[in-house]
Amino acid sequence: FGKYSTTVLKSAYGEVDVPDQTLSQFVWSSSSGWKNLPALTCGISGRSYTFGASENLCKVGAQAFLANTGLKPGDRIGLLLPNVPEYMVAVHAALQAGLIVTFANPLYTVPELTRQFQSAKVRCIITIPQLLEAAQTVSKTLANYDCTINIGGSAEPEQRILGLESLLSPSENVKLPEVRPSDIAVLLYSSGTTGIPKGVMLTHRNLVTNIIQLTDRALIDYSDPTDEFQETVLTVLPFFHIYGFNTILNYMTYIGAHLVTIPKFTPQDYIACLENHKPTVLFVVPSLLLLLITHPEVTPQHLSSVKKIFCGAAPMKKGLIDQFFKKIGRNDCTVSQGYGMTETSPSVTITPYTMPYSKSGSCGKLLPSTLARVIDLTDGKDVGMPNKSGELLVKGPQIMKGYLDNPKATSEAIDIDGWLHTGDVVYYDEDEYFYVVDRTKELIKVKGNQVSPTELESLILEMQGVADAAVIGIPDNVAGELPKAYVVKKPGFDSVTPEQVQEFVASKVATYKKLAAGVTFLDAIPRNSAGKILRNELKNLSS
Ligand code: AYL
């Protein structure tokens, strides 16, 4: 009988028109009216750039890249930087030089960095003196490596280390290459629904589209800056993540907001920035919102300038917004929740600022030009009606081009009809508000950060005396989830302790990936006949 019927939900906000522009052209396309207003300021040091200055530095930087390094358009560069205002310049200079950029977490260990930069075939790393040693160690493992750019540090020509000045020396005779909107702009790493992190190829057009999808005035209430009023955005969410990169850095620059950055989160620095910069907008993940609510040193006065909060990247507990309003003693602040993935640039849904209170807990409605289906977890057929949960499938112009060098994973994620299988379990109500209820994919989310169970399992298997291992996420009130390992010992290794496994893993990964929910030894890991780990059985064991 051919195909069973599908129930396709369409955005209530129509379609977007996407200009034929690269990301850089788009981001500054409206800024001529506010060139002298501040665009980016480091909340700690006070280093600041206007819109005019940052736009100009990106162009100079692009020419300098091509003049002073051996890089050619299409080459990949890796950013190993904390959140500093220069992040913007580094990314957009590279993009305008036709380079493809991958971002690394500055907390990554050398093996983690090596894996990502080898996968992305990075030829140049941009970093700061504090991370130079790690960058140099990694660079020695990279084929066709060209140079390291050491922002804020000195040049060492014999080691192919360039200083920032070689990125800022104007080379006006260098012609910038033509970059097409369909070209890949960035490679961000995500484990998707299964396996180890993979390079997500996002084009200029994917990223531009997702910003335009968010500028619908029915969804978000904002106005262009004037000499009297400009939104001030405080953010600590990392620019190496798609949320920080596209939704904060690019989107907020596009609408003319002033971004205040913090290189390394501490509650004290965050509080000082609230006091000194009086932000009108905060970008958060649920664990940061919880911290603002519960931290004894954060007072209602600190938050008195805040009018808009954006939250995304992990499930937000119902009631958290009420707790926040209670803390600040007012409710004239909108809290928008967004849902999406690295693979979707990232936004798929957002709560309209006019959302009625009765919908709280929802992650919002489909963005313009976005389609969705919800399919039953057992038979794969569309649930076909509101209030029935199933896996969310999405289609739209913000969906990635695919996973780098991995057509198999790409075709598993995006089916032949173009639907991206999200691995998230959701339902929609009668008004097509979406609610995330669970996840079928293997991903663990710790404070909004992705942790791949496969990555931790293969690490644990490297440990002497370990025969088998499985990692799952355990619910946690503060972090959302924390990784926990089940381990089978080899005969003769009875003396291995949970702490030894934890320490082994901790020595090899960024802090947030640690086995913070512990290690339990089992006689065997439950697996199906195909050898797949039965994670639900492990979840039942732990609850
Ligand atoms: P990745 N509620 C529940 N789970 C969520 C939510 C949410 N609001 N947002 C993201 N997730 C989970 O690639 C979900 O499992 O991108 C999803 O598949 O690090 C996974 O996180 C994707 O993780 C915005 C602003 C999205 C931020 C984001 C976060 C993108 C996170 C839209 O407007």
Side-chain angles (χ1 to χ4, degrees):
F1 294 103
K3 253 180 156 178
Y4 59 82
S5 67
T6 57
T7 309
V8 177
L9 276 80
K10 239 174 122 168
S11 168
Y13 302 97
E15 308 271 319
V16 284
D17 277 331
V18 182
D20 220 18
Q21 287 177 320
T22 63
L23 184 64
S24 300
Q25 286 165 342
F26 173 75
V27 160
W28 282 283
S29 56
S30 309
S31 70
S32 55
W34 50 82
K35 281 216 172 311
N36 297 323
L37 291 181
L40 292 146
T41 300
C42 173
I44 305 305
S45 70
R47 252 182 4 269
S48 189
Y49 300 85
T50 62
F51 282 88
S54 62
E55 182 181 8
N56 183 49
L57 280 175
C58 293
K59 185 158 173 263
V60 169
Q63 291 172 319
F65 253 127
L66 297 177
N68 302 331
T69 72
L71 300 172
K72 299 178 307 303
D75 283 345
R76 286 86 179 264
I77 71 156
L79 256 56
L80 179 59
L81 294 173
N83 276 21
V84 288
E86 292 77 10
Y87 213 99
M88 189 70 179
V89 179
V91 179
H92 283 273
L95 292 177
Q96 289 177 41
L99 305 172
I100 296 170
V101 190
T102 191
F103 314 120
N105 185 335
L107 299 175
Y108 267 7
T109 60
V110 165
E112 289 172 305
L113 290 172
T114 304
R115 197 172 328 115
Q116 180 175 337
F117 285 175
Q118 281 185 347
S119 155
K121 302 192 179 71
V122 159
R123 295 198 60 209
C124 164
I125 300 174
I126 304 190
T127 193
I128 51 170
Q130 294 88 323
L131 299 168
L132 183 64
E133 197 184 323
Q136 288 304 90
T137 309
V138 175
S139 73
K140 300 214 166 59
T141 73
L142 301 173
N144 301 318
Y145 192 73
D146 186 69
C147 63
T148 301
I149 298 172
N150 183 20
I151 295 186
S154 50
E156 291 172 45
E158 65 289 357
Q159 291 201 57
R160 289 292 292 155
I161 299 174
L162 311 182
L164 184 62
E165 54 296 341
S166 53
L167 260 197
L168 297 180
S169 46
S171 319
E172 270 155 22
N173 50 349
V174 175
K175 195 170 169 301
L176 292 180
E178 193 190 332
V179 180
R180 287 176 306 240
S182 57
D183 288 343
I184 296 164
V186 295
L187 295 169
L188 298 183
Y189 278 72
S190 163
S191 58
T193 52
T194 177
I196 57 165
K198 296 170 278 289
V200 174
M201 299 186 283
L202 297 175
T203 64
H204 287 262
R205 192 186 301 284
N206 288 147
L207 296 161
V208 168
T209 302
N210 204 233
I211 297 173
I212 296 183
Q213 289 172 310
L214 283 177
T215 49
D216 193 309
R217 297 291 213 284
L219 293 169
I220 294 174
D221 177 32
Y222 72 92
S223 46
D224 288 344
T226 63
D227 289 337
E228 281 76 50
F229 179 77
Q230 183 189 18
E231 301 279 11
T232 300
V233 181
L234 177 60
T235 180
V236 70
L237 303 185
F239 295 148
F240 63 76
H241 186 261
I242 188 67
Y243 185 13
F245 175 61
N246 210 31
T247 315
I248 307 179
L249 200 56
N250 294 323
Y251 177 31
M252 289 298 109
T253 303
Y254 171 69
I255 66 165
H258 176 201
L259 267 179
V260 176
T261 60
I262 305 180
K264 187 169 182 287
F265 178 78
T266 66
Q268 284 64 35
D269 283 344
Y270 196 86
I271 293 170
C273 286
L274 288 170
E275 277 174 350
N276 299 338
H277 293 277
K278 309 228 169 339
T280 55
V281 181
L282 301 181
F283 278 90
V284 301
V285 289
S287 52
L288 177 57
L289 192 58
L290 182 66
L291 185 136
L292 294 178
I293 295 166
T294 52
H295 201 286
E297 284 170 41
V298 178
T299 66
Q301 186 55 32
H302 287 132
L303 297 160
S304 59
S305 54
V306 177
K307 292 286 176 336
K308 296 187 193 77
I309 294 196
F310 289 88
C311 188
M316 177 150 74
K317 282 223 173 72
K318 223 181 149 162
L320 197 66
I321 299 178
D322 296 336
Q323 271 176 279
F324 180 73
F325 288 153
K326 203 167 155 212
K327 165 103 188 198
I328 62 175
R330 60 190 172 92
N331 58 8
D332 61 345
C333 170
T334 58
V335 182
S336 305
Q337 191 185 171
Y339 158 84
M341 312 162 65
T342 307
E343 287 82 346
T344 58
S345 305
S347 301
V348 172
T349 66
I350 192 154
T351 54
Y353 75 98
T354 52
M355 182 174 89
Y357 182 77
S358 61
K359 305 289 187 193
S360 65
S362 165
C363 65
K365 301 189 69 159
L366 293 172
L367 295 185
S369 299
T370 305
L371 304 174
R373 286 167 54 198
V374 177
I375 61 169
D376 188 90
L377 296 182
T378 41
D379 64 16
K381 292 186 179 159
D382 290 51
V383 297
M385 63 176 79
N387 303 315
K388 265 193 93 171
S389 60
E391 186 186 5
L392 174 68
L393 272 47
V394 295
K395 204 188 242 193
Q398 71 272 51
I399 290 178
M400 65 169 177
K401 188 165 173 165
Y403 291 116
L404 179 70
D405 300 329
N406 201 336
K408 183 166 174 281
T410 305
S411 61
E412 281 163 8
I414 305 175
D415 67 25
I416 46 167
D417 297 316
W419 291 99
L420 173 77
H421 292 237
T422 64
D424 289 312
V425 183
V426 309
Y427 69 89
Y428 52 88
D429 67 14
E430 293 77 7
D431 303 311
E432 297 187 356
Y433 277 85
F434 282 78
Y435 299 79
V436 180
V437 289
D438 199 2
R439 218 181 276 139
T440 53
K441 57 184 162 191
E442 291 173 354
L443 178 67
I444 302 171
K445 281 238 136 171
V446 181
K447 295 188 174 176
N449 294 296
Q450 285 204 7
V451 178
S452 153
T454 318
E455 184 186 332
L456 295 183
E457 286 154 8
S458 34
L459 248 182
I460 299 170
L461 287 172
E462 286 175 14
M463 192 176 163
Q464 226 205 353
V466 169
D468 201 359
V471 173
I472 60 167
I474 302 286
D476 179 80
N477 279 339
V478 175
E481 287 178 289
L482 290 173
K484 156 150 195 161
Y486 289 91
V487 175
V488 180
K489 294 182 206 176
K490 278 186 186 156
F493 285 90
D494 285 343
S495 61
V496 175
T497 64
E499 291 74 26
Q500 284 169 337
V501 179
Q502 281 178 307
E503 280 161 25
F504 181 81
V505 170
S507 69
K508 295 188 185 296
V509 295
T511 325
Y512 67 88
K513 296 185 191 172
K514 289 200 303 197
L515 296 170
V519 175
T520 297
F521 293 114
L522 295 178
D523 291 335
I525 300 293
R527 290 177 183 270
N528 70 9
S529 51
K532 203 170 172 303
I533 297 169
L534 296 169
R535 293 178 199 277
N536 277 342
E537 286 197 16
L538 294 172
K539 289 211 162 125
N540 291 339
L541 273 185
S542 71
S543 58

